[in-house]
């Protein structure tokens, strides 16, 4: 089934980043996913189309009002249902959400294919009236421990991660199953022509044509990188016999460097 996204945003034009370029554009043209945009300003009850107001309790900045957001979300859900969605799930992108991980992306992509439509709420200003979140938001998701200017980029990042999991989204050669993190490890380094660049050669093994040796070298490079940069990923994951052997080699090599 086609993956259905509906985004509620006062900056709908930002989503051209997703529909205009690359794999996400190709996948949309191939009918793998569709996006509808809902501007809460269209549901404002005043002639100036404002959807924000000052925070109760004082302080700087503005808060998005519940009513126009709820009306936009309601319209998005109604359209999804009319188009045959089995279910609609409202997600708010915010730094207060549950951190997004690869396993969650896989799970959500499967739900999309099974007919669960996503409604992504993109906040602006200092946030959204909490009562709207309590009333309609089913999941709050964070893409990382930092603040940006609004939820749109986070929504697009989530959509991109989901779209590349849809069957047929990546070319024949590429496969989402080979992505970094599927293995629970960081990706190994990559090289292309020329063989010598700025005095640096491509690792000899990659020119050898010995596929077993190349696979082993890549696995070892992934393990070494993960150990150095993200050691906590290794404590969350079991090692195979081969991986344990490679880790021992890596530890010995590291000792020599110091
Ligand atoms: C803005 C601000 C300005 C002055 C004082 C305090 C402030 N807090 C914020 C703020 O957190 N704004 C957010 C902007 C409100 C919700 C939407 N915005 C948002 C979402 N920024 N970053 C995200 C986000 C979403 C998912 N994962 C990481 C970040």
């Amino acid at each position: 089934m086609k993956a259905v996204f509906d985004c509620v945003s006062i900056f709908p034009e930002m989503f051209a980043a997703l529909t205009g370029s690359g794999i996400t554009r190709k996948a949309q043209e191939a009918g793998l996913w569709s996006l509808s945009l809902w501007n809460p300003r269209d549901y404002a009850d005043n002639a100036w189309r404002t959807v924000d107001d000052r925070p109760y309790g004082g302080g700087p900045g503005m808060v998005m009002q519940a009513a126009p957001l709820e009306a936009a979300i309601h319209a998005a859900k109604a359209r999804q249902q009319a188009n045959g969605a089995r279910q609609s799930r409202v997600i708010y992108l915010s730094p207060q959400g549950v951190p997004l991980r690869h396993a969650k992306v896989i799970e959500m992509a499967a739900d999309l294919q099974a007919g669960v439509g996503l409604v992504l709420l993109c906040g602006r200003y200092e946030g959204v009236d909490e009562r709207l979140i309590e009333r309609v938001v089913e999941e709050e998701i964070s893409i990382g421990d930092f603040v940006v200017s609004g939820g749109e980029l986070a929504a697009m990042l989530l959509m991109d991660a989901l779209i590349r999991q849809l069957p047929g989204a990546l070319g024949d050669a590429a496969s989402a199953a080979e992505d970094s993190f599927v293995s629970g490890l960081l990706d190994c380094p990559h090289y292309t022509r020329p063989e010598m660049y700025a005095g640096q050669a491509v690792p000899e093994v990659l020119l050898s044509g010995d596929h077993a040796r190349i696979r082993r070298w890549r696995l070892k490079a992934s393990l070494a990188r993960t150990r150095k940069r993200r050691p906590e990923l290794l404590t969350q994951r079991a090692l195979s016999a081969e991986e344990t052997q490679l880790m021992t080699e890596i530890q010995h090599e590291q000792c020599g460097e110091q």
Side-chain angles (χ1 to χ4, degrees), residues 49-62:
R49 303 191 355 123
T50 60
V51 294
D52 60 319
D53 208 334
R54 290 169 304 169
Y56 280 117
M62 302 294 265

Side-chain angles (χ1 to χ4, degrees), residues 85-133:
R86 270 194 27 235
Q87 190 196 313
S88 296
R89 192 174 298 159
V90 181
I91 296 172
Y92 179 46
L93 286 308
S94 96
Q96 286 73 47
V98 178
L100 184 65
R101 305 211 62 198
H102 186 71
K104 173 73 173 173
V105 170
I106 302 285
E107 192 184 299
M108 291 178 78
D111 290 344
L112 276 166
Q113 285 169 78
V116 177
L118 297 187
V119 179
L120 305 180
L121 172 58
C122 305
R124 280 273 155 176
Y125 314 112
E126 269 70 306
V128 166
D129 190 309
E130 189 67 22
R131 295 167 295 184
L132 180 275
I133 299 172

Side-chain angles (χ1 to χ4, degrees), residues 92-95 123-127 141-144 146-151 154:
Y92 179 46
L93 286 308
S94 96
R124 280 273 155 176
Y125 314 112
E126 269 70 306
I141 293 179
S142 164
I143 59 156
F146 46 82
V147 176
V148 291
S149 310

Side-chain angles (χ1 to χ4, degrees), residues 176-225:
E178 279 164 33
D179 279 354
S180 175
F181 291 114
V182 173
S183 65
L185 300 174
L186 301 184
D187 208 356
C188 63
H190 301 282
Y191 300 88
T192 186
R193 291 198 295 178
E195 256 183 64
M196 187 64 80
Y197 177 72
Q200 286 206 277
V202 172
E204 174 276 325
V205 56
L206 298 179
L207 312 174
S208 70
D210 181 342
H211 296 296
R213 244 182 99 214
I214 291 169
R215 188 197 57 78
R216 203 171 148 84
W217 180 89
R218 286 181 168 155
L219 177 56
K220 185 172 174 180
S222 282
L223 286 164
R225 252 191 184 176

